[in-house]
Amino acid sequence: MFKNSNKEVSVDLGKTNRIVESTIIRGDIEATSDMRLDGELHGNLFVKGRVVVGAKAKIIGNIDCENADVEGVVEGIIKVKDLLSVKANANIKGELIVGRLSVEPGGNMEVTCQMLGQGGKEVKSGNKQAKGE
């Protein structure tokens, strides 16, 4: 009567992985549920959910996720399909590829930024002008 085809995905809903302060990880991390990092990562982070980079956290590597809040230090490429929130304490160097971007006053960014269109697809830029009707 009812199909449970999304059983694997729903198992991880509401669960959050945590990397606590004073923890240093060297290597890539892949997760299907949300991730909060308060320690240090020297590698790439691939998360199907939300990533929270705590105020004392440091990531030297790339991030690929659905949504992200950054309070700490990130050096690398950050690809966020939906919303990237850069908090006041954040320090980001590298490249941003985001669907939407929110930056609090005080957030420090030395980046190039590319906005994604609807559905997380890259928007191609050009010199085309919009024509009025």
Side-chain angles (χ1 to χ4, degrees), residues 3 7 12 31-32 35 44-45 47 57-58 60 63 68 74 78-79 97-99 107 110 112 114 122 133:
K3 292 184 180 180
K7 185 177 181 182
D12 291 332
T32 57
M35 170 75 68
N44 301 312
L45 182 58
V47 177
K58 182 175 185 178
I60 307 297
I63 300 173
V74 178
I78 303 175
K79 184 172 183 179
I97 304 169
V98 299
E110 295 178 35
T112 59
Q114 181 177 7
E122 294 182 20
E133 292 185 42

mmCIF file of all heavy atoms in Angstrom, residues 3 7 12 31-32 35 44-45 47 57-58 60 63 68 74 78-79 97-99 107 110 112 114 122 133:
data_model
loop_
_atom_site.group_PDB
_atom_site.id
_atom_site.type_symbol
_atom_site.label_atom_id
_atom_site.label_comp_id
_atom_site.label_asym_id
_atom_site.label_seq_id
_atom_site.Cartn_x
_atom_site.Cartn_y
_atom_site.Cartn_z
ATOM 1 N N LYS A 3 4.789 2.792 -0.122
ATOM 2 C CA LYS A 3 6.165 2.447 -0.464
ATOM 3 C C LYS A 3 7.111 3.258 0.397
ATOM 4 O O LYS A 3 6.885 4.424 0.637
ATOM 5 C CB LYS A 3 6.437 2.732 -1.944
ATOM 6 C CG LYS A 3 5.687 1.811 -2.864
ATOM 7 C CD LYS A 3 6.064 2.079 -4.294
ATOM 8 C CE LYS A 3 5.315 1.139 -5.211
ATOM 9 N NZ LYS A 3 5.662 1.367 -6.614
ATOM 10 N N LYS A 7 13.702 5.363 2.539
ATOM 11 C CA LYS A 7 14.067 4.919 3.875
ATOM 12 C C LYS A 7 15.501 5.295 4.244
ATOM 13 O O LYS A 7 15.762 5.771 5.329
ATOM 14 C CB LYS A 7 13.888 3.405 3.976
ATOM 15 C CG LYS A 7 14.130 2.864 5.363
ATOM 16 C CD LYS A 7 13.858 1.389 5.413
ATOM 17 C CE LYS A 7 14.081 0.855 6.816
ATOM 18 N NZ LYS A 7 13.865 -0.580 6.873
ATOM 19 N N ASP A 12 18.774 9.533 8.334
ATOM 20 C CA ASP A 12 19.739 10.533 8.778
ATOM 21 C C ASP A 12 19.117 11.879 9.117
ATOM 22 O O ASP A 12 19.820 12.768 9.596
ATOM 23 C CB ASP A 12 20.812 10.733 7.707
ATOM 24 C CG ASP A 12 21.696 9.505 7.570
ATOM 25 O OD1 ASP A 12 21.839 8.780 8.566
ATOM 26 O OD2 ASP A 12 22.232 9.275 6.478
ATOM 27 N N ALA A 31 29.506 12.838 4.374
ATOM 28 C CA ALA A 31 28.409 12.564 5.298
ATOM 29 C C ALA A 31 27.076 12.792 4.602
ATOM 30 O O ALA A 31 26.943 13.688 3.771
ATOM 31 C CB ALA A 31 28.512 13.456 6.532
ATOM 32 N N THR A 32 26.084 11.973 4.967
ATOM 33 C CA THR A 32 24.739 12.162 4.428
ATOM 34 C C THR A 32 23.886 13.016 5.351
ATOM 35 O O THR A 32 22.877 13.554 4.926
ATOM 36 C CB THR A 32 24.035 10.809 4.191
ATOM 37 O OG1 THR A 32 24.014 10.090 5.420
ATOM 38 C CG2 THR A 32 24.751 10.010 3.126
ATOM 39 N N MET A 35 26.548 18.338 9.522
ATOM 40 C CA MET A 35 27.874 18.291 10.140
ATOM 41 C C MET A 35 28.160 19.609 10.842
ATOM 42 O O MET A 35 27.949 20.683 10.272
ATOM 43 C CB MET A 35 28.932 18.058 9.055
ATOM 44 C CG MET A 35 30.374 18.222 9.490
ATOM 45 S SD MET A 35 31.006 16.870 10.475
ATOM 46 C CE MET A 35 31.043 15.562 9.292
ATOM 47 N N ASN A 44 38.864 17.792 2.397
ATOM 48 C CA ASN A 44 37.601 18.242 1.822
ATOM 49 C C ASN A 44 36.419 17.695 2.602
ATOM 50 O O ASN A 44 36.496 16.616 3.187
ATOM 51 C CB ASN A 44 37.518 17.802 0.357
ATOM 52 C CG ASN A 44 38.666 18.362 -0.460
ATOM 53 O OD1 ASN A 44 38.967 19.541 -0.393
ATOM 54 N ND2 ASN A 44 39.333 17.499 -1.207
ATOM 55 N N LEU A 45 35.320 18.450 2.579
ATOM 56 C CA LEU A 45 34.115 18.086 3.309
ATOM 57 C C LEU A 45 32.949 18.022 2.332
ATOM 58 O O LEU A 45 32.610 19.026 1.709
ATOM 59 C CB LEU A 45 33.861 19.134 4.400
ATOM 60 C CG LEU A 45 32.685 18.947 5.333
ATOM 61 C CD1 LEU A 45 32.784 17.624 6.074
ATOM 62 C CD2 LEU A 45 32.622 20.104 6.323
ATOM 63 N N VAL A 47 29.011 17.066 2.224
ATOM 64 C CA VAL A 47 27.859 16.815 3.097
ATOM 65 C C VAL A 47 26.576 17.023 2.294
ATOM 66 O O VAL A 47 26.431 18.040 1.615
ATOM 67 C CB VAL A 47 27.886 17.755 4.326
ATOM 68 C CG1 VAL A 47 26.661 17.565 5.191
ATOM 69 C CG2 VAL A 47 29.146 17.529 5.146
ATOM 70 N N ALA A 57 36.673 26.878 14.613
ATOM 71 C CA ALA A 57 36.994 25.859 13.617
ATOM 72 C C ALA A 57 37.871 26.420 12.509
ATOM 73 O O ALA A 57 37.885 27.619 12.239
ATOM 74 C CB ALA A 57 35.712 25.298 13.016
ATOM 75 N N LYS A 58 38.608 25.495 11.852
ATOM 76 C CA LYS A 58 39.447 25.875 10.722
ATOM 77 C C LYS A 58 39.383 24.742 9.700
ATOM 78 O O LYS A 58 39.613 23.586 10.049
ATOM 79 C CB LYS A 58 40.888 26.093 11.174
ATOM 80 C CG LYS A 58 41.815 26.535 10.072
ATOM 81 C CD LYS A 58 43.198 26.842 10.629
ATOM 82 C CE LYS A 58 44.107 27.404 9.558
ATOM 83 N NZ LYS A 58 45.432 27.751 10.095
ATOM 84 N N ILE A 60 41.001 23.787 5.970
ATOM 85 C CA ILE A 60 41.894 24.031 4.850
ATOM 86 C C ILE A 60 41.524 22.964 3.819
ATOM 87 O O ILE A 60 41.951 21.825 3.897
ATOM 88 C CB ILE A 60 43.386 23.886 5.240
ATOM 89 C CG1 ILE A 60 43.727 24.738 6.449
ATOM 90 C CG2 ILE A 60 44.278 24.215 4.046
ATOM 91 C CD1 ILE A 60 43.560 26.221 6.263
ATOM 92 N N ILE A 63 34.598 22.687 0.577
ATOM 93 C CA ILE A 63 33.326 22.286 1.183
ATOM 94 C C ILE A 63 32.298 22.186 0.074
ATOM 95 O O ILE A 63 32.194 23.078 -0.764
ATOM 96 C CB ILE A 63 32.845 23.310 2.231
ATOM 97 C CG1 ILE A 63 33.857 23.457 3.365
ATOM 98 C CG2 ILE A 63 31.472 22.926 2.766
ATOM 99 C CD1 ILE A 63 33.525 24.575 4.343
ATOM 100 N N ALA A 68 25.104 26.159 4.469
ATOM 101 C CA ALA A 68 26.256 26.286 5.369
ATOM 102 C C ALA A 68 26.193 27.583 6.165
ATOM 103 O O ALA A 68 25.743 28.611 5.660
ATOM 104 C CB ALA A 68 27.558 26.234 4.583
ATOM 105 N N VAL A 74 37.903 29.373 6.835
ATOM 106 C CA VAL A 74 37.852 28.423 5.723
ATOM 107 C C VAL A 74 38.757 28.945 4.620
ATOM 108 O O VAL A 74 38.644 30.104 4.216
ATOM 109 C CB VAL A 74 36.419 28.228 5.171
ATOM 110 C CG1 VAL A 74 36.438 27.266 3.989
ATOM 111 C CG2 VAL A 74 35.468 27.728 6.246
ATOM 112 N N ILE A 78 34.191 26.865 -1.547
ATOM 113 C CA ILE A 78 32.958 26.537 -0.842
ATOM 114 C C ILE A 78 31.843 26.507 -1.869
ATOM 115 O O ILE A 78 31.515 27.524 -2.474
ATOM 116 C CB ILE A 78 32.631 27.563 0.255
ATOM 117 C CG1 ILE A 78 33.771 27.675 1.258
ATOM 118 C CG2 ILE A 78 31.321 27.198 0.937
ATOM 119 C CD1 ILE A 78 33.576 28.758 2.301
ATOM 120 N N LYS A 79 31.249 25.326 -2.081
ATOM 121 C CA LYS A 79 30.122 25.179 -3.001
ATOM 122 C C LYS A 79 28.890 24.828 -2.179
ATOM 123 O O LYS A 79 28.823 23.769 -1.558
ATOM 124 C CB LYS A 79 30.394 24.110 -4.047
ATOM 125 C CG LYS A 79 29.270 24.020 -5.068
ATOM 126 C CD LYS A 79 29.597 23.100 -6.219
ATOM 127 C CE LYS A 79 28.453 23.132 -7.219
ATOM 128 N NZ LYS A 79 28.717 22.277 -8.381
ATOM 129 N N ILE A 97 30.861 29.365 -4.571
ATOM 130 C CA ILE A 97 29.889 29.011 -5.597
ATOM 131 C C ILE A 97 28.614 28.718 -4.824
ATOM 132 O O ILE A 97 28.511 27.687 -4.158
ATOM 133 C CB ILE A 97 30.339 27.794 -6.416
ATOM 134 C CG1 ILE A 97 31.709 28.042 -7.036
ATOM 135 C CG2 ILE A 97 29.310 27.458 -7.494
ATOM 136 C CD1 ILE A 97 32.366 26.816 -7.640
ATOM 137 N N VAL A 98 27.658 29.652 -4.856
ATOM 138 C CA VAL A 98 26.501 29.561 -3.963
ATOM 139 C C VAL A 98 25.187 29.858 -4.690
ATOM 140 O O VAL A 98 25.169 30.560 -5.689
ATOM 141 C CB VAL A 98 26.644 30.544 -2.771
ATOM 142 C CG1 VAL A 98 27.867 30.207 -1.947
ATOM 143 C CG2 VAL A 98 26.714 31.978 -3.236
ATOM 144 N N GLY A 99 24.111 29.322 -4.123
ATOM 145 C CA GLY A 99 22.781 29.659 -4.609
ATOM 146 C C GLY A 99 22.344 31.016 -4.082
ATOM 147 O O GLY A 99 21.877 31.879 -4.814
ATOM 148 N N GLY A 107 32.047 40.079 8.796
ATOM 149 C CA GLY A 107 32.539 38.871 8.138
ATOM 150 C C GLY A 107 33.631 39.234 7.145
ATOM 151 O O GLY A 107 33.462 40.131 6.336
ATOM 152 N N GLU A 110 37.975 37.129 1.395
ATOM 153 C CA GLU A 110 38.859 37.423 0.275
ATOM 154 C C GLU A 110 38.589 36.335 -0.743
ATOM 155 O O GLU A 110 39.265 35.309 -0.782
ATOM 156 C CB GLU A 110 40.317 37.400 0.725
ATOM 157 C CG GLU A 110 40.675 38.484 1.724
ATOM 158 C CD GLU A 110 42.120 38.386 2.177
ATOM 159 O OE1 GLU A 110 42.987 38.005 1.356
ATOM 160 O OE2 GLU A 110 42.357 38.676 3.361
ATOM 161 N N THR A 112 36.475 35.043 -4.702
ATOM 162 C CA THR A 112 35.707 35.283 -5.910
ATOM 163 C C THR A 112 34.383 34.569 -5.674
ATOM 164 O O THR A 112 34.324 33.561 -4.961
ATOM 165 C CB THR A 112 36.395 34.704 -7.163
ATOM 166 O OG1 THR A 112 36.560 33.300 -7.001
ATOM 167 C CG2 THR A 112 37.728 35.369 -7.412
ATOM 168 N N GLN A 114 30.643 33.121 -7.357
ATOM 169 C CA GLN A 114 29.780 32.791 -8.485
ATOM 170 C C GLN A 114 28.430 32.367 -7.926
ATOM 171 O O GLN A 114 28.363 31.500 -7.052
ATOM 172 C CB GLN A 114 30.392 31.659 -9.306
ATOM 173 C CG GLN A 114 29.556 31.275 -10.497
ATOM 174 C CD GLN A 114 30.231 30.187 -11.325
ATOM 175 O OE1 GLN A 114 31.242 29.632 -10.941
ATOM 176 N NE2 GLN A 114 29.647 29.887 -12.457
ATOM 177 N N GLU A 122 24.805 26.498 -12.434
ATOM 178 C CA GLU A 122 25.643 27.679 -12.595
ATOM 179 C C GLU A 122 25.024 28.654 -13.586
ATOM 180 O O GLU A 122 24.480 28.261 -14.610
ATOM 181 C CB GLU A 122 27.035 27.277 -13.071
ATOM 182 C CG GLU A 122 27.787 26.482 -12.026
ATOM 183 C CD GLU A 122 29.181 26.109 -12.456
ATOM 184 O OE1 GLU A 122 29.714 26.749 -13.365
ATOM 185 O OE2 GLU A 122 29.727 25.175 -11.865
ATOM 186 N N GLU A 133 9.773 45.001 -23.153
ATOM 187 C CA GLU A 133 8.667 44.744 -24.090
ATOM 188 C C GLU A 133 7.777 45.948 -24.163
ATOM 189 O O GLU A 133 7.620 46.699 -23.306
ATOM 190 C CB GLU A 133 7.862 43.545 -23.596
ATOM 191 C CG GLU A 133 8.701 42.281 -23.717
ATOM 192 C CD GLU A 133 7.894 41.054 -23.361
ATOM 193 O OE1 GLU A 133 6.734 40.958 -23.759
ATOM 194 O OE2 GLU A 133 8.440 40.199 -22.687
#
